[in-house]
Amino acid sequence: MPHPTRKRTQVIVIAVALAVGAVAVPVAAMFYLAWARAVRDGQGHLAEVAGRVMLRTRRTMDETAQALWAVEPLRTAPCSPEHIAQMQAATLNTISVQEMGFFEDDLLKCTSWGITTQTVHQGPIDAVTKDGVKLSMDVLSVVRESR
């Protein structure tokens, strides 16, 4: 027969373990639920931001294409004063376009700032709009000496 003090000690140990478990399990569950909700909310916010970025990107691409199409019906000689004036007007009327250039055989011939004297290659095409306009985003600016 077990000793009564020993039995009492076992009962106390079991009771303390159950009490700790009764406190720890709900606290751990609340931590997990709070973490899961924070992750879900964060993912929802990121999805919302990504949607806005995509919308703004699409608008920028559409504006850029419109600016290029405004200059596209080339009724004057390439890089003539009239052609440069068309590019300047398209650039000034389009917030998302800072500078526009005319390329021939992969070389920049003129920009909305005028005739170029430096050799600038068109480089890779970064995007093609749904209208077939080819865009190169990382072309060296002849005027600003930046991209």
Side-chain angles (χ1 to χ4, degrees):
M1 179 157 207
H3 193 273
T5 316
R6 188 175 190 162
K7 183 147 174 106
R8 184 180 291 168
T9 304
Q10 287 177 342
V11 169
I12 291 172
V13 168
I14 291 171
V16 168
L18 289 174
V20 168
V23 171
V25 169
V27 169
M30 291 308 296
F31 276 125
Y32 172 76
L33 292 174
W35 172 80
R37 181 175 180 181
V39 168
R40 186 185 71 232
D41 291 349
Q43 288 174 337
H45 179 70
L46 287 175
E48 181 182 322
V49 169
R52 280 188 271 160
V53 167
M54 291 298 293
L55 178 64
R56 288 181 183 173
T57 300
R58 173 52 47 205
R59 285 181 182 164
T60 299
M61 296 282 286
D62 289 345
E63 285 179 8
T64 303
Q66 286 175 340
L68 291 171
W69 285 117
V71 178
E72 175 60 26
L74 194 57
R75 294 182 181 94
T76 61
C79 297
S80 66
E82 294 83 13
H83 180 226
I84 292 171
Q86 277 183 317
M87 289 193 294
Q88 288 172 343
T91 301
L92 291 173
N93 292 328
T94 309
I95 293 172
S96 58
V97 177
Q98 296 177 357
E99 187 175 357
M100 183 180 291
F102 178 81
F103 286 87
E104 188 174 76
D105 298 326
D106 189 47
L107 292 175
L108 182 64
K109 298 297 180 181
C110 62
T111 71
S112 51
W113 292 91
I115 302 292
T116 58
T117 56
Q118 298 175 351
T119 301
V120 177
H121 293 277
Q122 184 173 6
I125 303 299
D126 294 309
V128 179
T129 68
K130 60 185 174 191
D131 299 330
V133 176
K134 297 175 184 172
L135 302 173
S136 295
M137 310 290 186
D138 199 26
V139 177
L140 180 66
S141 172
V142 177
V143 176
R144 292 178 295 161
E145 295 184 1
S146 64
R147 293 189 185 270

